[in-house]
Amino acid sequence: MLILRIGKTLNLPTSIVRYSIVQGPRQSPRNIYSGALRIFVTQALANEPITVYEDGKQTRDFVNIEDVAKANVLILEDSRSNFEIYNVGGGVPYTVLDLAHMVKKITKSQSQIEVKGEFRKTDTRHAVSDISKLKSLSWKPQNTPEKSITDYVSWLKEEKFDLSHIKNAREELRKKGVVDS
């Protein structure tokens, strides 16, 4: 609200953009704190178990990076967006377990999907954005989570990332107190 107030006071076009779960290529495979896409894909490609936290029924609003880029351009170029707040999301809730199954299928991995009830202390149970306001500017997401997964897998393979650190990532999160049973 402060940023919008400053924008109005200075007559400086200002918009606030809140992103949901953004997915796609160039998401760091080394960041052990990053989201489910990175975790599941790197585990699947490393033939490690695909670890799903809680019961897997938590919902997420996955949005492809290409859709986010298009939303950003629209908001920058459309004066109707001035002094407004927008959520940028995929528009469809998926469970985290749905995503794990998509990753396993797309990667053709033999990894088992493990749901052991562990949880990350800072995770939100349900995170789904209302994107109706952005849709009123004639934007809607065009890409599916399957495309995000496919693009991410292709990018990882092109870049030839060493995924040997994946084996220890879960234990490292436990040691740091991020993951608990």
Side-chain angles (χ1 to χ4, degrees), residues 40-155:
F40 295 167
V41 168
T42 56
Q43 288 173 334
L45 293 177
N47 294 312
E48 290 294 316
I50 299 170
T51 55
V52 176
Y53 293 117
E54 298 182 35
D55 60 2
K57 295 179 184 173
Q58 48 290 35
T59 54
R60 297 291 182 264
D61 183 20
F62 303 116
V63 62
N64 183 278
I65 187 64
E66 292 174 22
D67 291 324
V68 170
K70 289 175 184 171
N72 288 342
V73 170
L74 174 65
I75 291 167
L76 284 168
E77 293 178 346
D78 191 326
S79 62
R80 295 178 294 168
S81 71
N82 292 345
F83 312 111
E84 297 292 338
I85 300 172
Y86 294 96
N87 296 324
V88 181
V92 178
Y94 291 89
T95 68
V96 173
L97 194 53
D98 290 337
L99 184 71
H101 285 289
M102 286 183 235
V103 166
K104 184 171 176 162
K105 181 179 177 185
I106 290 168
T107 60
K108 297 179 176 82
S109 177
Q110 297 302 309
S111 297
Q112 295 299 310
I113 295 174
E114 292 184 352
V115 182
K116 294 184 173 180
E118 292 179 319
F119 61 94
R120 293 194 318 180
K121 293 181 180 179
T122 57
D123 279 355
T124 302
R125 180 74 177 159
H126 301 291
V128 179
S129 298
D130 176 358
I131 61 171
S132 57
K133 191 171 181 181
L134 189 54
K135 281 182 166 182
S136 73
L137 296 179
S138 299
W139 175 91
K140 67 178 186 174
Q142 301 295 313
N143 298 294
T144 63
E146 290 89 350
K147 180 177 181 344
S148 298
I149 295 164
T150 300
D151 291 351
Y152 187 62
V153 168
S154 295
W155 176 73

Side-chain angles (χ1 to χ4, degrees), residues 156-172:
L156 281 175
K157 287 180 177 180
E158 286 170 19
E159 295 297 319
K160 298 181 173 106
F161 280 102
D162 174 13
L163 300 178
S164 60
H165 71 284
I166 300 306
K167 276 187 173 206
N168 301 322
R170 207 161 131 200
E171 187 56 35
E172 189 174 335

